[in-house]
Amino acid sequence: MNDASPAPRRARVRAPELIGKGGWLNTGDQQYTLADLRGRIVILDFWTFCCINCLHVLDELRELEEKHRDTVVIIGVHSPKFVHEADHQAVVDAVERYQVHHPVLDDPELATWKQYAVRAWPTLVVIDPEGYIVGQHAGEGHAHAIAKLVEELEAEHAAKGTLRRGDGPYVAPEPVASDLRFPGKAVVLPGSGNFLVSDSTRHQLVELEPDGETVVRRIGDAESGEFKEPQGLAVLPDGRVVVADTVNHALRVFDPANGDVVRVAGTGKQWWQGSPTSGPALEVDLSSPWDVAWWQGKVWIAMAGVHQLWTYDPELGTVEVAAGTTQEGLVDGPAAEAWFAQPSGLAADGDRLWVADSENSALRYVEREGSSYVVRTAVGTGLFDFGHRDGEASQALLQHPLGVTALPDGSVALSDTYNHALRRYDPASGEVTTLATDLREPSDAVLVGDDIVVVESARHRLTRLRLPESAVRVDAVAHRTQRAATEVAPGRLRLDVVFQAPTGQKLDTRYGPSTRLLVSSTPPELLLSGEGAGSDLSRALELNPAVSEGVLHVSAMAASCDDDPANEYPACHVHQQDWGVPVRVLEGGAARLPLVLAGLDA
């Protein structure tokens, strides 16, 4: 469905109640119902804290949240993908870690997600002051459209007398004192042997003495904006340190000798589809760089925000895409054709660059093959299978690993974040073992002699462990995502991506089609026809009756611009989302699959 005409009179759909077994956060222990919020414009943000696109939307909404704080209540509905994300304390930690300044409903059983028929993280639902749903948006890039809708609702309901202004239900939690707060990554500085740690939630770097506890100095702070939730660190051959300045969408270089910090890549703006993917480093947008590693004469970047690996060449001052298509999933092969899902950890080891591919719960690696690079998977099967299972790599399971560390014997240690464990993969034997448990969200680890120092992110500390001679035995568990599969009929399936341009905008067709739809499936045999790219947001798919279940991968993009003929340079906005829709093929299933990018499904 591709409707760019002005939206018709808004449909009246009553908003379902907000239910979450985990209760409310950021409200001073007060529990709320929709009736309590009557008179306010409510924006529900369905998110999960593993999801980089959800974190982008949190940042997109901050300006709207501040500007309309007396009329708008944003409520984060936390809807977990991973088992760890259903743990209430983990949600509490994430709300602080990502500085969520609005109420959050902890919905570990996806009750509210199901009531609102949500199909993707992130999804935004707008509810008017009378309790009716008036808009839905999936993915990123919708803040402008929602701001316009909020202004319309403010005017409409002020005139009707149904708008209630005043303070919202948000109550800030008490601050906690500690030297580190949700640290991300660490390196050992040459010469001094000190640790440099990215202290992500406090927007700074912290240098610690070799004991891992005594603070030497802090670099940056929240007020300066020099860093914003920095993550990855890598020591360059000259002793300086390159920093993945994640939320600033930039790379910076820190010189330990004089304390100087210089931006070397990124513009500070987030990369969008259609933006340049190579060129002068300071002129090309980046998207949530999460880790960095020095390998084969370049800085390799885990570009979590677009599911790719990029490189930065300090000598030439350029950046370019090195691997990945921006499609989210697990596909091996030539680097340019491979798929990743939020790569978040890198470690160089001779001929291989190891990658912690977090959303795939996978360990991947890049290596040269002739004159080009190829991507292969050591552990992991894809977006929806995860757990804690040791043994042969082909059947071993991880849960959202964020860090990988090369070990002296050619094996690698994995910071298996959501399993609270340090794992090991040995390429020689093809076995996965567990080195340590009872770590709290480990996100990185560094070797120091015979010890390995783990960044325990949710315990706000570095923890020194002796590398064990033998593995820890754990009870094996395997999980699939809690998301219910959509039941669809075999044969013809109508896929409709619903997009309505925001009020005052139209589809931007100045340079050709302004919409794009890309469809594929896992396994590939699920689709008999309908895969591939096209410009129409509706498509007929043919499902294979011989395949009982799988995942439809749908990526949609639409560009809209201000509809003002007098304006030669109208403001334009890109709306995009990737869906991974688990489906079960059976007689009597649905013959139509609607996915809302923006608007309401008629």
Side-chain angles (χ1 to χ4, degrees):
M1 176 183 280
N2 184 354
D3 177 12
S5 60
R9 183 173 176 80
R10 282 191 278 274
R12 303 282 282 176
V13 180
R14 177 65 74 180
E17 191 50 85
L18 304 178
I19 307 163
K21 195 172 181 180
W24 291 80
L25 306 176
N26 282 357
T27 62
D29 295 328
Q30 179 75 33
Q31 307 297 299
Y32 283 91
T33 67
L34 277 178
D36 298 326
L37 302 170
R38 198 61 50 80
R40 311 299 290 273
I41 299 162
V42 176
I43 300 172
L44 303 182
D45 176 14
F46 288 87
W47 71 299
T48 189
F49 64 76
C50 71
C51 159
I52 190 68
N53 311 91
C54 299
L55 303 186
H56 289 168
V57 167
L58 281 175
D59 288 328
E60 286 180 6
L61 292 175
R62 293 189 199 278
E63 183 179 345
L64 174 76
E65 192 168 26
E66 181 61 32
K67 184 177 179 181
H68 298 275
R69 62 189 312 155
D70 66 333
T71 58
V72 170
V73 176
I74 296 177
I75 294 173
V77 182
H78 189 269
S79 313
K81 170 186 173 180
F82 289 101
V83 169
H84 169 61
E85 292 175 306
D87 174 61
H88 181 70
Q89 185 56 48
V91 180
V92 172
D93 288 345
V95 168
E96 181 190 350
R97 179 195 294 269
Y98 298 117
Q99 298 172 312
V100 180
H101 296 154
H102 51 247
V104 172
L105 176 64
D106 181 11
D107 182 18
E109 296 176 347
L110 302 180
T112 296
W113 165 286
K114 292 168 188 170
Q115 286 292 311
Y116 281 80
V118 175
R119 296 185 187 273
W121 295 280
T123 291
L124 298 165
V125 176
V126 183
I127 301 171
D128 74 11
E130 294 179 288
Y132 291 93
I133 296 173
V134 291
Q136 184 170 329
H137 302 75
E140 301 178 49
H142 300 292
H144 175 79
I146 291 176
K148 295 281 286 186
L149 178 55
V150 164
E151 289 170 1
E152 291 174 18
L153 291 171
E154 285 177 339
E156 176 185 336
H157 288 273
K160 289 172 66 175
T162 49
L163 184 70
R164 178 165 57 88
R165 295 179 181 270
D167 292 335
Y170 172 67
V171 177
E174 289 293 319
V176 181
S178 60
D179 287 332
L180 300 173
R181 204 71 193 158
F182 298 105
K185 308 283 187 182
V187 292
V188 176
L189 295 175
S192 67
N194 287 349
F195 292 100
L196 187 67
V197 184
S198 56
D199 195 25
S200 303
T201 296
R202 293 211 176 111
H203 312 294
Q204 62 186 354
L205 309 180
V206 179
E207 185 177 343
L208 302 172
E209 289 186 2
D211 62 8
E213 297 180 1
T214 306
V215 175
V216 177
R217 59 177 161 170
R218 299 177 183 274
I219 303 98
D221 55 53
E223 283 69 39
S224 72
E226 189 167 41
F227 295 109
K228 199 168 183 184
E229 296 182 32
Q231 286 285 342
L233 306 167
V235 179
L236 298 173
D238 62 8
R240 296 181 303 154
V241 179
V242 62
V243 183
D245 191 4
T246 305
V247 176
N248 276 328
H249 308 296
L251 298 187
R252 299 185 193 276
V253 168
F254 165 64
D255 188 340
N258 57 26
D260 287 350
V261 177
V262 179
R263 179 170 57 91
V264 295
T267 63
K269 296 178 182 176
Q270 185 184 336
W271 185 93
W272 286 98
Q273 289 286 354
S275 300
T277 55
S278 64
L282 291 168
E283 298 174 16
V284 177
D285 299 337
L286 308 181
S287 182
S288 297
W290 206 274
D291 202 9
V292 281
W294 179 256
W295 187 56
Q296 299 201 344
K298 294 181 181 178
V299 174
W300 286 67
I301 309 164
M303 201 71 78
V306 284
H307 318 298
Q308 291 180 312
L309 304 181
W310 289 40
T311 58
Y312 161 62
D313 187 329
E315 201 168 301
L316 298 177
T318 56
V319 292
E320 63 181 348
V321 173
T325 64
T326 75
Q327 289 297 111
E328 185 178 15
L330 194 153
V331 175
D332 288 341
E337 300 170 18
W339 291 20
F340 295 92
Q342 219 168 293
S344 300
L346 300 175
D349 186 21
D351 295 333
R352 283 184 176 173
L353 179 72
W354 294 98
V355 183
D357 200 18
S358 63
E359 279 293 288
N360 278 322
S361 296
L363 173 64
R364 319 279 296 279
Y365 61 92
V366 182
E367 62 184 359
R368 269 200 183 276
E369 195 169 81
S371 60
S372 57
Y373 291 103
V374 65
V375 176
R376 296 191 169 95
T377 299
V379 184
T381 58
L383 285 166
F384 300 109
D385 295 289
F386 51 90
H388 191 149
R389 187 163 65 198
D390 288 332
E392 185 185 338
S394 62
Q395 55 85 52
L397 292 172
L398 311 168
Q399 188 178 180
H400 198 79
L402 289 178
V404 60
T405 307
L407 300 178
D409 63 358
S411 67
V412 292
L414 273 156
S415 295
D416 193 6
T417 309
Y418 289 1
N419 279 326
H420 308 300
L422 192 67
R423 312 285 293 282
R424 176 176 177 263
Y425 167 67
D426 183 358
S429 66
E431 294 283 314
V432 175
T433 52
T434 298
L435 299 177
T437 58
D438 193 32
L439 300 166
R440 187 70 185 170
E441 292 192 17
S443 53
D444 195 20
V446 289
L447 275 176
V448 182
D450 294 330
D451 295 342
I452 190 162
V453 176
V454 180
V455 180
E456 273 199 276
S457 191
R459 281 202 179 109
H460 320 293
R461 70 186 189 192
L462 303 187
T463 299
R464 186 180 293 262
L465 305 171
R466 178 70 59 170
L467 270 176
E469 296 288 333
S470 58
V472 177
R473 292 193 63 82
V474 295
D475 293 330
V477 291
H479 301 289
R480 295 214 84 200
T481 179
Q482 291 188 66
R483 287 178 60 189
T486 299
E487 295 182 350
V488 292
R492 185 182 173 90
L493 176 69
R494 180 72 177 180
L495 172 66
D496 285 331
V497 174
V498 178
F499 178 74
Q500 293 161 343
T503 303
Q505 294 200 331
K506 63 178 181 178
L507 289 176
D508 178 18
T509 55
R510 291 171 299 165
Y511 309 108
S514 61
T515 55
R516 181 173 178 267
L517 180 66
L518 182 63
V519 180
S520 62
S521 67
T522 304
E525 299 77 35
L526 174 64
L527 278 178
L528 294 175
S529 67
E531 73 280 357
S535 59
D536 196 334
L537 292 182
S538 292
R539 188 179 299 181
L541 310 180
E542 188 78 19
L543 298 184
N544 187 346
V547 178
S548 60
E549 62 179 28
V551 178
L552 289 175
H553 302 281
V554 180
S555 179
M557 185 274 288
S560 61
C561 293
D562 291 343
D563 188 9
D564 181 2
N567 187 353
E568 188 179 354
Y569 303 104
C572 298
H573 304 273
V574 176
H575 317 261
Q576 72 180 68
Q577 172 64 4
D578 296 334
W579 290 268
V581 183
V583 295
R584 187 173 294 115
V585 182
L586 74 172
E587 294 294 339
R592 176 176 178 262
L593 177 62
L595 299 175
V596 176
L597 179 60
L600 291 172
D601 180 24

